C-alpha cells in the first residue's frame, strides 16, 4: 500500500495544469486523461464505500454498479 500511495503522490505532483492542457490537445492525450479520471473516481468511490463498514460483498456490488455507470 505504501508503494501505491507514494506513486500516486508522485504522479499527482507531475500532473500540472500545463501538462493537462497539453494532453487535451490530442485525442490520445484526452483519452489518457479520461482513463485517469475514471481510475481516480473508482478509487475514491471504493474508499468511501469501505468507510461505511458494510458487508464486503455489498461493497463490491456497489463498486461494480458505480463502475458500470461510468462506462
Amino acid at each position: 500500500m505504501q508503494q501505491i500511495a507514494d506513486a500516486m503522490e508522485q504522479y499527482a505532483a507531475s500532473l500540472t495544469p500545463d501538462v493537462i492542457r497539453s494532453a487535451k490537445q490530442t485525442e490520445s492525450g484526452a483519452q489518457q486523461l479520461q482513463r485517469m479520471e475514471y481510475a481516480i473516481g473508482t478509487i475514491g468511490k471504493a474508499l468511501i464505500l469501505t468507510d461505511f463498514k458494510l458487508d464486503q460483498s455489498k461493497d463490491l456490488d456497489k463498486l461494480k454498479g458505480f463502475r458500470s455507470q461510468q462506462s
Side-chain angles (χ1 to χ4, degrees), residues 36-55:
M36 286 186 257
E37 183 178 353
Y38 172 79
I40 291 167
T42 300
I43 291 167
K45 188 71 167 182
L47 291 170
I48 290 167
L49 287 174
T50 56
D51 276 351
F52 290 134
K53 307 288 187 251
L54 298 173
D55 179 325

Side-chain angles (χ1 to χ4, degrees), residues 2-12:
Q2 179 70 40
Q3 290 175 331
I4 294 170
D6 290 345
M8 289 179 72
E9 285 178 343
Q10 181 181 357
Y11 296 141

Side-chain angles (χ1 to χ4, degrees), residues 7-26:
M8 289 179 72
E9 285 178 343
Q10 181 181 357
Y11 296 141
S14 300
L15 200 60
T16 63
D18 287 339
V19 171
I20 293 168
R21 285 186 197 101
S22 177
K24 287 181 177 183
Q25 299 299 312
T26 66

Side-chain angles (χ1 to χ4, degrees), residues 33-43 66-67 70-71:
L33 289 172
Q34 191 170 24
R35 287 180 60 207
M36 286 186 257
E37 183 178 353
Y38 172 79
I40 291 167
T42 300
I43 291 167
F66 171 76
R67 286 180 177 162
Q70 300 301 309
S71 301

